[in-house]
Protein backbone atom coordinates (compact mmCIF):
# COMPACT_ATOMS: atom_id res chain seq x y z
CA UNK A 1 0.00 0.00 0.00
CA UNK A 2 2.79 2.45 0.83
CA UNK A 3 4.54 2.07 -2.51
CA UNK A 4 1.29 2.34 -4.44
CA UNK A 5 0.20 5.38 -2.44
CA UNK A 6 3.55 7.07 -3.10
CA UNK A 7 3.36 6.49 -6.86
CA UNK A 8 -0.27 7.61 -7.03
CA UNK A 9 0.64 10.72 -5.04
CA UNK A 10 3.34 11.66 -7.52
CA UNK A 11 1.04 11.08 -10.49
CA UNK A 12 -1.78 13.08 -8.91
CA UNK A 13 0.59 15.95 -8.09
CA UNK A 14 1.86 16.00 -11.68
CA UNK A 15 -1.69 15.99 -13.06
CA UNK A 16 -2.81 18.78 -10.72
CA UNK A 17 0.11 21.10 -11.47
CA UNK A 18 -0.37 20.44 -15.17
CA UNK A 19 -3.70 22.27 -15.09
CA UNK A 20 -3.66 25.85 -16.36
CA UNK A 21 -6.37 26.85 -13.86
CA UNK A 22 -4.29 25.53 -10.94
CA UNK A 23 -1.13 27.29 -12.11
CA UNK A 24 -3.12 30.52 -12.39
CA UNK A 25 -4.42 30.07 -8.85
CA UNK A 26 -0.89 29.57 -7.57
CA UNK A 27 0.20 32.73 -9.41
CA UNK A 28 -2.73 34.70 -7.95
CA UNK A 29 -1.88 33.56 -4.42
CA UNK A 30 1.74 34.65 -4.91
CA UNK A 31 0.62 38.05 -6.19
CA UNK A 32 -1.57 38.53 -3.11
CA UNK A 33 1.41 37.76 -0.88
CA UNK A 34 3.58 40.23 -2.80
CA UNK A 35 0.88 42.90 -2.51
CA UNK A 36 0.70 42.33 1.26
CA UNK A 37 4.43 42.99 1.54
CA UNK A 38 3.98 46.24 -0.36
CA UNK A 39 0.94 47.30 1.67
CA UNK A 40 2.83 46.63 4.91
CA UNK A 41 5.73 48.77 3.71
CA UNK A 42 8.19 45.88 3.75
CA UNK A 43 9.17 46.56 0.13
CA UNK A 44 8.33 48.89 -2.71
CA UNK A 45 6.92 47.92 -6.09
CA UNK A 46 10.33 48.57 -7.69
CA UNK A 47 12.05 46.32 -5.14
CA UNK A 48 9.47 43.63 -5.79
CA UNK A 49 10.02 43.73 -9.53
CA UNK A 50 13.78 43.57 -9.01
CA UNK A 51 13.50 40.56 -6.68
CA UNK A 52 10.61 38.85 -8.48
CA UNK A 53 12.75 36.49 -10.66
CA UNK A 54 14.62 35.19 -7.60
CA UNK A 55 11.44 34.87 -5.51
CA UNK A 56 9.62 33.03 -8.28
CA UNK A 57 12.62 30.71 -8.76
CA UNK A 58 12.67 29.79 -5.08
CA UNK A 59 8.90 29.37 -5.18
CA UNK A 60 9.15 26.87 -8.03
CA UNK A 61 11.92 24.97 -6.24
CA UNK A 62 9.87 24.81 -3.02
CA UNK A 63 6.86 23.60 -4.98
CA UNK A 64 8.88 20.87 -6.69
CA UNK A 65 10.42 19.75 -3.39
CA UNK A 66 6.98 19.58 -1.79
CA UNK A 67 5.56 17.59 -4.71
CA UNK A 68 8.44 15.11 -4.48
CA UNK A 69 8.55 14.82 -0.68
CA UNK A 70 4.90 14.77 0.37
CA UNK A 71 3.88 11.42 -1.23
CA UNK A 72 6.72 9.44 0.45
CA UNK A 73 6.03 11.13 3.79
CA UNK A 74 2.32 10.39 3.52
CA UNK A 75 2.94 6.82 2.39
CA UNK A 76 5.58 5.82 4.92
CA UNK A 77 5.58 8.24 7.87
CA UNK A 78 1.82 8.60 8.33
CA UNK A 79 1.10 4.86 8.88
CA UNK A 80 3.83 4.65 11.55
CA UNK A 81 2.50 7.78 13.26
CA UNK A 82 -1.07 6.47 13.36
CA UNK A 83 0.25 3.07 14.44
CA UNK A 84 1.88 4.80 17.42
CA UNK A 85 -1.42 6.50 18.28
CA UNK A 86 -3.35 3.21 17.99
CA UNK A 87 -0.75 1.31 20.01
CA UNK A 88 -0.58 3.88 22.83
CA UNK A 89 -4.35 4.33 23.09
CA UNK A 90 -5.06 0.62 22.68
CA UNK A 91 -2.53 -0.59 25.21
CA UNK A 92 -2.41 2.23 27.74
CA UNK A 93 -5.91 3.72 27.72
CA UNK A 94 -8.02 0.78 26.59
CA UNK A 95 -5.93 -1.92 28.34
CA UNK A 96 -5.39 -3.99 25.20
CA UNK A 97 -2.44 -6.28 24.57
CA UNK A 98 -0.92 -6.08 21.09
CA UNK A 99 2.45 -5.16 19.62
CA UNK A 100 3.37 -1.92 17.92
CA UNK A 101 4.09 -3.75 14.66
CA UNK A 102 0.56 -5.18 14.73
CA UNK A 103 -0.68 -1.61 14.87
CA UNK A 104 1.66 -0.76 11.96
CA UNK A 105 0.15 -3.60 9.94
CA UNK A 106 -3.39 -2.33 10.54
CA UNK A 107 -2.43 1.28 9.87
CA UNK A 108 -0.67 0.30 6.65
CA UNK A 109 -3.76 -1.49 5.36
CA UNK A 110 -5.84 1.61 6.03
CA UNK A 111 -3.49 3.47 3.67
CA UNK A 112 -5.26 1.78 0.77
CA UNK A 113 -8.16 4.17 1.40
CA UNK A 114 -5.78 7.13 1.11
CA UNK A 115 -5.15 6.07 -2.49
CA UNK A 116 -8.86 6.45 -3.23
CA UNK A 117 -8.88 9.79 -1.43
CA UNK A 118 -6.00 11.06 -3.59
CA UNK A 119 -7.67 9.96 -6.82
CA UNK A 120 -11.07 11.47 -5.93
CA UNK A 121 -9.55 14.78 -4.87
CA UNK A 122 -7.42 14.96 -8.02
CA UNK A 123 -10.44 14.33 -10.24
CA UNK A 124 -12.43 17.05 -8.46
CA UNK A 125 -9.58 19.52 -8.87
CA UNK A 126 -9.26 18.76 -12.58
CA UNK A 127 -13.01 18.85 -13.27
CA UNK A 128 -13.69 22.00 -11.25
CA UNK A 129 -10.42 23.76 -12.07
CA UNK A 130 -9.92 24.55 -8.38
CA UNK A 131 -6.79 23.45 -6.51
CA UNK A 132 -8.71 23.55 -3.21
CA UNK A 133 -11.53 21.27 -4.38
CA UNK A 134 -12.17 18.09 -2.43
CA UNK A 135 -14.97 15.92 -1.01
CA UNK A 136 -15.44 18.28 1.92
CA UNK A 137 -17.64 21.13 3.12
CA UNK A 138 -15.21 23.66 1.68
CA UNK A 139 -16.49 22.65 -1.75
CA UNK A 140 -19.68 24.63 -1.03
CA UNK A 141 -17.83 27.82 -0.12
CA UNK A 142 -17.79 30.40 -2.88
CA UNK A 143 -14.43 32.12 -3.13
CA UNK A 144 -12.63 29.63 -0.89
CA UNK A 145 -9.74 31.29 0.95
CA UNK A 146 -7.13 28.91 2.45
CA UNK A 147 -6.02 31.62 4.90
CA UNK A 148 -9.54 31.91 6.31
CA UNK A 149 -9.83 29.85 9.51
CA UNK A 150 -13.52 29.07 9.00
CA UNK A 151 -12.89 27.93 5.44
CA UNK A 152 -10.01 25.74 6.63
CA UNK A 153 -12.16 24.07 9.26
CA UNK A 154 -14.91 23.42 6.71
CA UNK A 155 -12.36 21.84 4.37
CA UNK A 156 -11.22 19.57 7.22
CA UNK A 157 -14.70 17.99 7.32
CA UNK A 158 -13.85 15.63 4.49
CA UNK A 159 -16.07 12.64 3.68
CA UNK A 160 -13.23 10.32 2.73
CA UNK A 161 -11.02 11.49 5.61
CA UNK A 162 -13.83 10.72 8.05
CA UNK A 163 -14.21 7.29 6.45
CA UNK A 164 -10.48 6.65 6.96
CA UNK A 165 -10.81 7.70 10.61
CA UNK A 166 -13.75 5.33 11.08
CA UNK A 167 -11.69 2.43 9.67
CA UNK A 168 -8.83 3.33 12.01
CA UNK A 169 -11.32 3.24 14.87
CA UNK A 170 -12.40 -0.25 13.75
CA UNK A 171 -8.73 -1.33 13.76
CA UNK A 172 -8.27 0.06 17.27
CA UNK A 173 -11.42 -1.70 18.42
CA UNK A 174 -10.36 -5.07 17.00
CA UNK A 175 -6.83 -4.87 18.37
CA UNK A 176 -7.71 -3.59 21.85
CA UNK A 177 -10.98 -5.45 22.38
CA UNK A 178 -12.78 -2.20 23.23
CA UNK A 179 -16.12 -1.31 21.67
CA UNK A 180 -16.23 0.60 18.40
CA UNK A 181 -17.94 3.55 20.10
CA UNK A 182 -15.14 3.97 22.64
CA UNK A 183 -12.46 3.49 20.00
CA UNK A 184 -14.14 5.98 17.66
CA UNK A 185 -14.39 8.52 20.48
CA UNK A 186 -10.61 8.29 20.97
CA UNK A 187 -9.70 8.40 17.27
CA UNK A 188 -12.09 11.22 16.31
CA UNK A 189 -11.37 13.10 19.53
CA UNK A 190 -7.62 13.09 18.91
CA UNK A 191 -8.22 14.09 15.29
CA UNK A 192 -10.36 17.05 16.37
CA UNK A 193 -7.68 18.16 18.85
CA UNK A 194 -4.91 17.82 16.25
CA UNK A 195 -6.92 19.62 13.55
CA UNK A 196 -7.86 22.43 15.92
CA UNK A 197 -4.29 22.77 17.15
CA UNK A 198 -2.80 22.88 13.64
CA UNK A 199 -5.42 25.39 12.51
CA UNK A 200 -4.71 27.64 15.50
CA UNK A 201 -0.97 27.36 14.92
CA UNK A 202 -1.33 28.20 11.24
CA UNK A 203 -3.52 31.20 12.06
CA UNK A 204 -1.02 32.41 14.68
CA UNK A 205 1.88 32.13 12.22
CA UNK A 206 -0.18 33.97 9.62
CA UNK A 207 -0.84 36.80 12.08
CA UNK A 208 2.81 37.01 13.10
CA UNK A 209 4.23 37.09 9.59
CA UNK A 210 1.55 39.45 8.32
CA UNK A 211 2.37 41.90 11.08
CA UNK A 212 -0.94 41.39 12.86
CA UNK A 213 0.72 40.36 16.09
CA UNK A 214 2.29 43.81 16.63
Amino acid sequence: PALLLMVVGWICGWLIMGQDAVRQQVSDIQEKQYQKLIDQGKMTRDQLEAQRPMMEKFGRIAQQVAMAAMPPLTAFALPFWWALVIWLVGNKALKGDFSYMKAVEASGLVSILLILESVVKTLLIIVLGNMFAGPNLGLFVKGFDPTNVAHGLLAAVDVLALWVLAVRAIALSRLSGASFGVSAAWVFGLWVLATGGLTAFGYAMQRIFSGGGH
Side-chain angles (χ1 to χ4, degrees), residues 18-180:
Q19 303 301 307
D20 292 337
V22 171
R23 289 200 296 268
Q24 184 60 49
Q25 279 187 296
V26 172
S27 178
D28 291 343
I29 291 172
Q30 289 175 337
E31 284 300 323
K32 287 182 180 179
Q33 294 302 317
Y34 296 156
Q35 189 59 48
K36 279 185 180 181
L37 294 175
I38 294 174
D39 293 341
Q40 293 165 7
K42 295 181 179 180
M43 66 167 53
T44 64
R45 174 60 65 176
D46 290 338
Q47 290 174 328
L48 170 62
E49 294 305 325
Q51 298 180 28
R52 183 187 291 272
M54 182 182 66
M55 295 170 70
E56 291 181 346
K57 179 181 179 180
F58 280 115
R60 287 193 298 270
I61 293 174
Q63 177 183 306
Q64 292 169 356
V65 170
M67 286 178 60
M70 285 306 296
L73 284 174
T74 301
F76 291 96
L78 193 62
F80 282 95
W81 166 251
W82 268 106
L84 180 61
V85 172
I86 291 173
W87 181 74
L88 287 174
V89 173
N91 281 284
K92 306 303 180 182
L94 303 181
K95 309 302 180 183
D97 183 20
F98 57 94
S99 67
Y100 172 68
M101 290 310 297
K102 196 67 178 177
V104 171
E105 180 184 352
S107 183
L109 290 174
V110 175
S111 296
I112 295 174
L113 297 179
L114 298 180
I115 298 172
L116 176 61
E117 182 180 17
S118 297
V119 172
V120 170
K121 186 170 184 179
T122 299
L123 291 175
L124 283 172
I125 290 172
I126 292 174
V127 171
L128 299 177
N130 181 359
M131 65 183 294
F132 303 113
N136 55 63
L137 296 182
L139 190 64
F140 303 102
V141 177
K142 189 174 182 180
F144 183 87
D145 181 2
T147 63
N148 185 299
V149 176
H151 292 185
L153 290 175
L154 286 173
V157 185
D158 185 289
V159 173
L160 291 177
L162 296 178
W163 181 23
V164 171
L165 289 171
V167 176
R168 288 192 176 115
I170 292 173
L172 175 59
S173 175
R174 295 291 181 85
L175 291 173
S176 67
S179 68
F180 171 74

